[in-house]
Amino acid sequence: MTDGFTINSNGAIRDTMAQTMAEQLLSQHNLAGEAVSAGDFLDARIAGAMCHYHAAEPMHDLALEAGFKDGLPRVWDPERVYVLLDHHQPTLSQKLADENALVRREVERLGIRCFHDSEPGIAHQMMLDYGLVRPGELVVGNDSHTLG
């Protein structure tokens, strides 16, 4: 990318000055080295991955269904996977308490180094508050209703 324009592998010229912030960030981390726009698929370098309790239990269940008797066999990088128990702390039900206990066991078993246990707050914001994400980094996270 130079001077606000880039030419991608199929010869198309893109005006990178007209990109959204998300498109600019994704373009910077695109392994193909090309500018991207909404709707594009890309392979990207990520600095980390956030997970919170909404996904931990379903991922564990999917691993069991796939035949992994203990759950997920491993994580991509125990140093760069961030697990945060947020929202409902203290828990509001026995079901939530059981889910949190499962997450704690999995974090220990998988050797995940960054674990914030049962803290009030929102995981996406906590990532920034704890300095786990810095400007320009691409960190992915699971959630059904937010962009982080």
Side-chain angles (χ1 to χ4, degrees), residues 14 30 32 34-44:
R14 291 199 179 174
N30 183 4
E34 300 173 353
V36 298
S37 61
D40 288 349
F41 289 88
L42 67 136
D43 291 318

Side-chain angles (χ1 to χ4, degrees), residues 40-103:
D40 288 349
F41 289 88
L42 67 136
D43 291 318
R45 260 183 332 275
I46 63 171
M50 180 204 78
C51 179
H52 63 101
Y53 70 95
H54 286 302
E57 186 180 23
M59 283 190 290
H60 180 76
D61 291 345
L62 287 171
L64 294 175
E65 289 174 22
F68 297 104
K69 67 179 182 76
D70 295 324
L72 292 174
R74 61 183 176 82
V75 294
W76 152 73
D77 184 338
E79 297 283 338
R80 296 190 294 165
V81 171
Y82 314 121
V83 178
L84 302 101
L85 293 179
D86 65 351
H87 290 299
H88 306 292
Q89 307 304 331
T91 59
L92 303 174
S93 69
Q94 185 61 50
K95 181 181 183 310
L96 286 173
D98 292 344
E99 289 174 8
N100 285 353
L102 171 64
V103 171

Side-chain angles (χ1 to χ4, degrees), residues 113-146:
R113 308 265 193 294
C114 182
F115 177 51
H116 290 276
D117 190 0
S118 300
E119 297 181 28
I122 307 299
H124 306 84
Q125 182 61 44
M126 292 162 66
M127 295 284 295
L128 301 169
D129 294 344
Y130 294 130
L132 301 173
V133 180
R134 289 169 290 287
E137 290 183 337
L138 178 60
V139 175
V140 296
N142 64 296
D143 213 328
S144 62
H145 59 277
T146 60

